[in-house]
PDB file of all heavy atoms in Angstrom:
ATOM      1  N   ARG B  51     -32.408 -42.324  98.482  1.00 95.00           N
ATOM      2  CA  ARG B  51     -30.969 -42.356  98.718  1.00 95.00           C
ATOM      3  C   ARG B  51     -30.483 -43.800  98.691  1.00 95.00           C
ATOM      4  O   ARG B  51     -31.239 -44.729  98.960  1.00 95.00           O
ATOM      5  CB  ARG B  51     -30.649 -41.754 100.101  1.00 95.00           C
ATOM      6  CG  ARG B  51     -30.746 -40.248 100.176  1.00 95.00           C
ATOM      7  CD  ARG B  51     -30.454 -39.803 101.600  1.00 95.00           C
ATOM      8  NE  ARG B  51     -30.418 -38.364 101.745  1.00 95.00           N
ATOM      9  CZ  ARG B  51     -29.303 -37.646 101.763  1.00 95.00           C
ATOM     10  NH1 ARG B  51     -28.128 -38.248 101.671  1.00 95.00           N
ATOM     11  NH2 ARG B  51     -29.346 -36.345 101.898  1.00 95.00           N
ATOM     12  N   SER B  52     -29.223 -43.948  98.454  1.00 95.00           N
ATOM     13  CA  SER B  52     -28.673 -45.299  98.344  1.00 95.00           C
ATOM     14  C   SER B  52     -28.664 -46.040  99.677  1.00 95.00           C
ATOM     15  O   SER B  52     -28.526 -47.268  99.704  1.00 95.00           O
ATOM     16  CB  SER B  52     -27.250 -45.238  97.775  1.00 95.00           C
ATOM     17  OG  SER B  52     -26.413 -44.456  98.617  1.00 95.00           O
ATOM     18  N   ASN B  53     -28.810 -45.326 100.791  1.00 95.00           N
ATOM     19  CA  ASN B  53     -28.796 -45.989 102.098  1.00 95.00           C
ATOM     20  C   ASN B  53     -30.204 -46.368 102.569  1.00 95.00           C
ATOM     21  O   ASN B  53     -30.407 -46.724 103.721  1.00 95.00           O
ATOM     22  CB  ASN B  53     -28.108 -45.118 103.148  1.00 95.00           C
ATOM     23  CG  ASN B  53     -28.820 -43.797 103.353  1.00 95.00           C
ATOM     24  OD1 ASN B  53     -29.778 -43.483 102.666  1.00 95.00           O
ATOM     25  ND2 ASN B  53     -28.338 -43.019 104.321  1.00 95.00           N
ATOM     26  N   MET B  54     -31.158 -46.260 101.653  1.00 96.00           N
ATOM     27  CA  MET B  54     -32.536 -46.618 101.980  1.00 96.00           C
ATOM     28  C   MET B  54     -32.986 -47.785 101.098  1.00 96.00           C
ATOM     29  O   MET B  54     -32.453 -48.005 100.007  1.00 96.00           O
ATOM     30  CB  MET B  54     -33.470 -45.424 101.744  1.00 96.00           C
ATOM     31  CG  MET B  54     -33.139 -44.209 102.604  1.00 96.00           C
ATOM     32  SD  MET B  54     -34.101 -42.752 102.136  1.00 96.00           S
ATOM     33  CE  MET B  54     -35.755 -43.282 102.565  1.00 96.00           C
ATOM     34  N   ASP B  55     -33.980 -48.516 101.565  1.00 97.00           N
ATOM     35  CA  ASP B  55     -34.542 -49.615 100.787  1.00 97.00           C
ATOM     36  C   ASP B  55     -35.899 -49.264 100.199  1.00 97.00           C
ATOM     37  O   ASP B  55     -36.316 -49.835  99.186  1.00 97.00           O
ATOM     38  CB  ASP B  55     -34.719 -50.858 101.673  1.00 97.00           C
ATOM     39  CG  ASP B  55     -33.408 -51.348 102.212  1.00 97.00           C
ATOM     40  OD1 ASP B  55     -32.411 -51.313 101.471  1.00 97.00           O
ATOM     41  OD2 ASP B  55     -33.370 -51.768 103.379  1.00 97.00           O
ATOM     42  N   LYS B  56     -36.570 -48.352 100.854  1.00 97.00           N
ATOM     43  CA  LYS B  56     -37.955 -48.055 100.455  1.00 97.00           C
ATOM     44  C   LYS B  56     -38.272 -46.617 100.817  1.00 97.00           C
ATOM     45  O   LYS B  56     -37.834 -46.101 101.834  1.00 97.00           O
ATOM     46  CB  LYS B  56     -38.898 -49.011 101.192  1.00 97.00           C
ATOM     47  CG  LYS B  56     -40.370 -48.821 100.920  1.00 97.00           C
ATOM     48  CD  LYS B  56     -41.184 -49.857 101.706  1.00 97.00           C
ATOM     49  CE  LYS B  56     -42.679 -49.710 101.464  1.00 97.00           C
ATOM     50  NZ  LYS B  56     -43.452 -50.728 102.223  1.00 97.00           N
ATOM     51  N   ARG B  57     -39.052 -46.019  99.942  1.00 97.00           N
ATOM     52  CA  ARG B  57     -39.542 -44.684 100.244  1.00 97.00           C
ATOM     53  C   ARG B  57     -40.926 -44.540  99.650  1.00 97.00           C
ATOM     54  O   ARG B  57     -41.167 -44.952  98.509  1.00 97.00           O
ATOM     55  CB  ARG B  57     -38.619 -43.617  99.677  1.00 97.00           C
ATOM     56  CG  ARG B  57     -38.979 -42.234 100.174  1.00 97.00           C
ATOM     57  CD  ARG B  57     -37.936 -41.205  99.838  1.00 97.00           C
ATOM     58  NE  ARG B  57     -38.270 -39.937 100.479  1.00 97.00           N
ATOM     59  CZ  ARG B  57     -37.959 -38.763 100.003  1.00 97.00           C
ATOM     60  NH1 ARG B  57     -37.298 -38.669  98.861  1.00 97.00           N
ATOM     61  NH2 ARG B  57     -38.285 -37.664 100.661  1.00 97.00           N
ATOM     62  N   GLN B  58     -41.819 -43.946 100.417  1.00 97.00           N
ATOM     63  CA  GLN B  58     -43.207 -43.821  99.961  1.00 97.00           C
ATOM     64  C   GLN B  58     -43.575 -42.371  99.761  1.00 97.00           C
ATOM     65  O   GLN B  58     -43.168 -41.484 100.513  1.00 97.00           O
ATOM     66  CB  GLN B  58     -44.150 -44.462 100.982  1.00 97.00           C
ATOM     67  CG  GLN B  58     -44.078 -45.979 100.993  1.00 97.00           C
ATOM     68  CD  GLN B  58     -45.124 -46.598 101.905  1.00 97.00           C
ATOM     69  OE1 GLN B  58     -45.100 -46.362 103.103  1.00 97.00           O
ATOM     70  NE2 GLN B  58     -46.017 -47.383 101.337  1.00 97.00           N
ATOM     71  N   GLY B  59     -44.370 -42.165  98.693  1.00 94.00           N
ATOM     72  CA  GLY B  59     -44.922 -40.848  98.442  1.00 94.00           C
ATOM     73  C   GLY B  59     -46.425 -40.989  98.337  1.00 94.00           C
ATOM     74  O   GLY B  59     -47.010 -41.970  98.806  1.00 94.00           O
ATOM     75  N   GLN B  60     -47.037 -40.038  97.677  1.00 93.00           N
ATOM     76  CA  GLN B  60     -48.476 -40.120  97.502  1.00 93.00           C
ATOM     77  C   GLN B  60     -48.800 -41.087  96.367  1.00 93.00           C
ATOM     78  O   GLN B  60     -48.521 -40.822  95.211  1.00 93.00           O
ATOM     79  CB  GLN B  60     -49.045 -38.739  97.180  1.00 93.00           C
ATOM     80  CG  GLN B  60     -50.553 -38.689  97.122  1.00 93.00           C
ATOM     81  CD  GLN B  60     -51.067 -37.284  96.841  1.00 93.00           C
ATOM     82  OE1 GLN B  60     -50.301 -36.392  96.492  1.00 93.00           O
ATOM     83  NE2 GLN B  60     -52.356 -37.088  96.996  1.00 93.00           N
ATOM     84  N   ARG B  61     -49.319 -42.228  96.668  1.00 96.00           N
ATOM     85  CA  ARG B  61     -49.670 -43.296  95.729  1.00 96.00           C
ATOM     86  C   ARG B  61     -48.458 -43.937  95.056  1.00 96.00           C
ATOM     87  O   ARG B  61     -48.605 -44.838  94.239  1.00 96.00           O
ATOM     88  CB  ARG B  61     -50.618 -42.811  94.610  1.00 96.00           C
ATOM     89  CG  ARG B  61     -52.060 -42.719  94.980  1.00 96.00           C
ATOM     90  CD  ARG B  61     -52.979 -42.751  93.751  1.00 96.00           C
ATOM     91  NE  ARG B  61     -52.629 -41.784  92.739  1.00 96.00           N
ATOM     92  CZ  ARG B  61     -52.243 -42.107  91.500  1.00 96.00           C
ATOM     93  NH1 ARG B  61     -52.146 -43.366  91.124  1.00 96.00           N
ATOM     94  NH2 ARG B  61     -51.962 -41.154  90.627  1.00 96.00           N
ATOM     95  N   VAL B  62     -47.265 -43.497  95.338  1.00 98.00           N
ATOM     96  CA  VAL B  62     -46.072 -44.085  94.753  1.00 98.00           C
ATOM     97  C   VAL B  62     -45.125 -44.570  95.832  1.00 98.00           C
ATOM     98  O   VAL B  62     -45.031 -43.982  96.908  1.00 98.00           O
ATOM     99  CB  VAL B  62     -45.338 -43.105  93.807  1.00 98.00           C
ATOM    100  CG1 VAL B  62     -46.196 -42.756  92.611  1.00 98.00           C
ATOM    101  CG2 VAL B  62     -44.903 -41.852  94.554  1.00 98.00           C
ATOM    102  N   THR B  63     -44.451 -45.662  95.504  1.00 98.00           N
ATOM    103  CA  THR B  63     -43.437 -46.232  96.384  1.00 98.00           C
ATOM    104  C   THR B  63     -42.247 -46.608  95.534  1.00 98.00           C
ATOM    105  O   THR B  63     -42.413 -47.195  94.455  1.00 98.00           O
ATOM    106  CB  THR B  63     -43.970 -47.482  97.098  1.00 98.00           C
ATOM    107  OG1 THR B  63     -45.129 -47.142  97.859  1.00 98.00           O
ATOM    108  CG2 THR B  63     -42.916 -48.064  98.025  1.00 98.00           C
ATOM    109  N   VAL B  64     -41.072 -46.273  95.985  1.00 97.00           N
ATOM    110  CA  VAL B  64     -39.869 -46.692  95.291  1.00 97.00           C
ATOM    111  C   VAL B  64     -39.132 -47.689  96.175  1.00 97.00           C
ATOM    112  O   VAL B  64     -38.999 -47.483  97.381  1.00 97.00           O
ATOM    113  CB  VAL B  64     -38.970 -45.486  94.914  1.00 97.00           C
ATOM    114  CG1 VAL B  64     -38.598 -44.666  96.128  1.00 97.00           C
ATOM    115  CG2 VAL B  64     -37.725 -45.956  94.181  1.00 97.00           C
ATOM    116  N   LEU B  65     -38.724 -48.769  95.559  1.00 97.00           N
ATOM    117  CA  LEU B  65     -37.973 -49.807  96.252  1.00 97.00           C
ATOM    118  C   LEU B  65     -36.587 -49.916  95.643  1.00 97.00           C
ATOM    119  O   LEU B  65     -36.437 -49.884  94.412  1.00 97.00           O
ATOM    120  CB  LEU B  65     -38.698 -51.150  96.134  1.00 97.00           C
ATOM    121  CG  LEU B  65     -40.089 -51.234  96.745  1.00 97.00           C
ATOM    122  CD1 LEU B  65     -40.687 -52.615  96.482  1.00 97.00           C
ATOM    123  CD2 LEU B  65     -40.047 -50.958  98.235  1.00 97.00           C
ATOM    124  N   LEU B  66     -35.597 -50.060  96.481  1.00 97.00           N
ATOM    125  CA  LEU B  66     -34.217 -50.177  96.035  1.00 97.00           C
ATOM    126  C   LEU B  66     -33.615 -51.462  96.580  1.00 97.00           C
ATOM    127  O   LEU B  66     -33.592 -51.677  97.787  1.00 97.00           O
ATOM    128  CB  LEU B  66     -33.400 -48.965  96.515  1.00 97.00           C
ATOM    129  CG  LEU B  66     -31.902 -48.971  96.202  1.00 97.00           C
ATOM    130  CD1 LEU B  66     -31.674 -48.972  94.694  1.00 97.00           C
ATOM    131  CD2 LEU B  66     -31.223 -47.766  96.847  1.00 97.00           C
ATOM    132  N   ASN B  67     -33.149 -52.290  95.684  1.00 95.00           N
ATOM    133  CA  ASN B  67     -32.483 -53.535  96.064  1.00 95.00           C
ATOM    134  C   ASN B  67     -31.040 -53.437  95.574  1.00 95.00           C
ATOM    135  O   ASN B  67     -30.748 -53.674  94.396  1.00 95.00           O
ATOM    136  CB  ASN B  67     -33.187 -54.737  95.430  1.00 95.00           C
ATOM    137  CG  ASN B  67     -32.598 -56.053  95.902  1.00 95.00           C
ATOM    138  OD1 ASN B  67     -31.425 -56.144  96.254  1.00 95.00           O
ATOM    139  ND2 ASN B  67     -33.425 -57.088  95.931  1.00 95.00           N
ATOM    140  N   LYS B  68     -30.150 -53.102  96.482  1.00 93.00           N
ATOM    141  CA  LYS B  68     -28.761 -52.879  96.108  1.00 93.00           C
ATOM    142  C   LYS B  68     -28.032 -54.189  95.821  1.00 93.00           C
ATOM    143  O   LYS B  68     -27.038 -54.207  95.110  1.00 93.00           O
ATOM    144  CB  LYS B  68     -28.047 -52.089  97.200  1.00 93.00           C
ATOM    145  CG  LYS B  68     -28.579 -50.664  97.348  1.00 93.00           C
ATOM    146  CD  LYS B  68     -27.855 -49.900  98.429  1.00 93.00           C
ATOM    147  CE  LYS B  68     -28.252 -50.340  99.814  1.00 93.00           C
ATOM    148  NZ  LYS B  68     -29.664 -49.991 100.128  1.00 93.00           N
ATOM    149  N   THR B  69     -28.548 -55.269  96.355  1.00 93.00           N
ATOM    150  CA  THR B  69     -27.894 -56.560  96.153  1.00 93.00           C
ATOM    151  C   THR B  69     -27.904 -56.932  94.671  1.00 93.00           C
ATOM    152  O   THR B  69     -26.905 -57.433  94.140  1.00 93.00           O
ATOM    153  CB  THR B  69     -28.601 -57.649  96.969  1.00 93.00           C
ATOM    154  OG1 THR B  69     -28.552 -57.293  98.352  1.00 93.00           O
ATOM    155  CG2 THR B  69     -27.925 -58.995  96.770  1.00 93.00           C
ATOM    156  N   VAL B  70     -29.041 -56.694  94.033  1.00 93.00           N
ATOM    157  CA  VAL B  70     -29.165 -57.032  92.611  1.00 93.00           C
ATOM    158  C   VAL B  70     -29.202 -55.786  91.731  1.00 93.00           C
ATOM    159  O   VAL B  70     -29.495 -55.871  90.536  1.00 93.00           O
ATOM    160  CB  VAL B  70     -30.409 -57.906  92.359  1.00 93.00           C
ATOM    161  CG1 VAL B  70     -30.247 -59.246  93.044  1.00 93.00           C
ATOM    162  CG2 VAL B  70     -31.668 -57.203  92.847  1.00 93.00           C
ATOM    163  N   LYS B  71     -28.930 -54.626  92.325  1.00 93.00           N
ATOM    164  CA  LYS B  71     -28.913 -53.358  91.579  1.00 93.00           C
ATOM    165  C   LYS B  71     -30.216 -53.148  90.826  1.00 93.00           C
ATOM    166  O   LYS B  71     -30.231 -52.960  89.594  1.00 93.00           O
ATOM    167  CB  LYS B  71     -27.721 -53.318  90.629  1.00 93.00           C
ATOM    168  CG  LYS B  71     -26.383 -53.378  91.348  1.00 93.00           C
ATOM    169  CD  LYS B  71     -25.237 -53.324  90.344  1.00 93.00           C
ATOM    170  CE  LYS B  71     -23.897 -53.483  91.046  1.00 93.00           C
ATOM    171  NZ  LYS B  71     -22.774 -53.536  90.078  1.00 93.00           N
ATOM    172  N   HIS B  72     -31.286 -53.159  91.569  1.00 94.00           N
ATOM    173  CA  HIS B  72     -32.606 -53.065  90.976  1.00 94.00           C
ATOM    174  C   HIS B  72     -33.424 -52.003  91.693  1.00 94.00           C
ATOM    175  O   HIS B  72     -33.396 -51.885  92.927  1.00 94.00           O
ATOM    176  CB  HIS B  72     -33.306 -54.436  91.079  1.00 94.00           C
ATOM    177  CG  HIS B  72     -34.627 -54.476  90.401  1.00 94.00           C
ATOM    178  ND1 HIS B  72     -35.803 -54.233  91.078  1.00 94.00           N
ATOM    179  CD2 HIS B  72     -34.975 -54.731  89.111  1.00 94.00           C
ATOM    180  CE1 HIS B  72     -36.814 -54.339  90.233  1.00 94.00           C
ATOM    181  NE2 HIS B  72     -36.342 -54.648  89.039  1.00 94.00           N
ATOM    182  N   LEU B  73     -34.152 -51.253  90.893  1.00 95.00           N
ATOM    183  CA  LEU B  73     -34.990 -50.157  91.381  1.00 95.00           C
ATOM    184  C   LEU B  73     -36.386 -50.348  90.809  1.00 95.00           C
ATOM    185  O   LEU B  73     -36.519 -50.733  89.636  1.00 95.00           O
ATOM    186  CB  LEU B  73     -34.396 -48.845  90.881  1.00 95.00           C
ATOM    187  CG  LEU B  73     -34.964 -47.509  91.343  1.00 95.00           C
ATOM    188  CD1 LEU B  73     -34.644 -47.271  92.798  1.00 95.00           C
ATOM    189  CD2 LEU B  73     -34.390 -46.394  90.478  1.00 95.00           C
ATOM    190  N   SER B  74     -37.395 -50.106  91.604  1.00 97.00           N
ATOM    191  CA  SER B  74     -38.747 -50.200  91.070  1.00 97.00           C
ATOM    192  C   SER B  74     -39.605 -49.047  91.560  1.00 97.00           C
ATOM    193  O   SER B  74     -39.362 -48.480  92.635  1.00 97.00           O
ATOM    194  CB  SER B  74     -39.402 -51.527  91.440  1.00 97.00           C
ATOM    195  OG  SER B  74     -39.663 -51.578  92.828  1.00 97.00           O
ATOM    196  N   LEU B  75     -40.579 -48.718  90.737  1.00 97.00           N
ATOM    197  CA  LEU B  75     -41.573 -47.694  91.082  1.00 97.00           C
ATOM    198  C   LEU B  75     -42.931 -48.361  91.100  1.00 97.00           C
ATOM    199  O   LEU B  75     -43.336 -48.967  90.111  1.00 97.00           O
ATOM    200  CB  LEU B  75     -41.556 -46.566  90.045  1.00 97.00           C
ATOM    201  CG  LEU B  75     -42.600 -45.467  90.249  1.00 97.00           C
ATOM    202  CD1 LEU B  75     -42.263 -44.628  91.485  1.00 97.00           C
ATOM    203  CD2 LEU B  75     -42.704 -44.572  89.009  1.00 97.00           C
ATOM    204  N   GLN B  76     -43.605 -48.278  92.206  1.00 98.00           N
ATOM    205  CA  GLN B  76     -44.935 -48.848  92.330  1.00 98.00           C
ATOM    206  C   GLN B  76     -45.946 -47.710  92.401  1.00 98.00           C
ATOM    207  O   GLN B  76     -45.790 -46.800  93.211  1.00 98.00           O
ATOM    208  CB  GLN B  76     -45.025 -49.733  93.573  1.00 98.00           C
ATOM    209  CG  GLN B  76     -44.042 -50.894  93.559  1.00 98.00           C
ATOM    210  CD  GLN B  76     -44.120 -51.754  94.795  1.00 98.00           C
ATOM    211  OE1 GLN B  76     -44.893 -51.482  95.704  1.00 98.00           O
ATOM    212  NE2 GLN B  76     -43.318 -52.814  94.835  1.00 98.00           N
ATOM    213  N   ILE B  77     -46.959 -47.804  91.564  1.00 98.00           N
ATOM    214  CA  ILE B  77     -48.028 -46.816  91.562  1.00 98.00           C
ATOM    215  C   ILE B  77     -49.303 -47.522  91.988  1.00 98.00           C
ATOM    216  O   ILE B  77     -49.724 -48.490  91.346  1.00 98.00           O
ATOM    217  CB  ILE B  77     -48.216 -46.187  90.168  1.00 98.00           C
ATOM    218  CG1 ILE B  77     -46.902 -45.570  89.683  1.00 98.00           C
ATOM    219  CG2 ILE B  77     -49.316 -45.124  90.205  1.00 98.00           C
ATOM    220  CD1 ILE B  77     -46.959 -45.067  88.238  1.00 98.00           C
ATOM    221  N   ALA B  78     -49.887 -47.057  93.052  1.00 97.00           N
ATOM    222  CA  ALA B  78     -51.118 -47.668  93.559  1.00 97.00           C
ATOM    223  C   ALA B  78     -52.334 -47.078  92.867  1.00 97.00           C
ATOM    224  O   ALA B  78     -52.371 -45.887  92.546  1.00 97.00           O
ATOM    225  CB  ALA B  78     -51.202 -47.452  95.061  1.00 97.00           C
ATOM    226  N   ALA B  79     -53.319 -47.939  92.644  1.00 97.00           N
ATOM    227  CA  ALA B  79     -54.597 -47.494  92.071  1.00 97.00           C
ATOM    228  C   ALA B  79     -54.358 -46.601  90.859  1.00 97.00           C
ATOM    229  O   ALA B  79     -54.744 -45.426  90.829  1.00 97.00           O
ATOM    230  CB  ALA B  79     -55.424 -46.775  93.129  1.00 97.00           C
ATOM    231  N   THR B  80     -53.726 -47.176  89.851  1.00 97.00           N
ATOM    232  CA  THR B  80     -53.315 -46.420  88.674  1.00 97.00           C
ATOM    233  C   THR B  80     -54.506 -45.722  88.025  1.00 97.00           C
ATOM    234  O   THR B  80     -55.578 -46.306  87.863  1.00 97.00           O
ATOM    235  CB  THR B  80     -52.641 -47.345  87.659  1.00 97.00           C
ATOM    236  OG1 THR B  80     -51.670 -48.146  88.339  1.00 97.00           O
ATOM    237  CG2 THR B  80     -51.944 -46.546  86.589  1.00 97.00           C
TER     238      THR B  80
END
Side-chain angles (χ1 to χ4, degrees):
Chain B
R51 285 178 175 261
S52 59
N53 61 356
M54 299 172 66
D55 298 321
K56 179 179 180 179
R57 190 169 187 210
Q58 288 186 298
Q60 186 178 11
R61 280 201 308 117
V62 296
T63 301
V64 57
L65 298 177
L66 176 62
N67 185 332
K68 294 180 286 293
T69 300
V70 295
K71 298 180 184 176
H72 185 266
L73 186 70
S74 69
L75 177 70
Q76 300 179 358
I77 304 173
T80 312

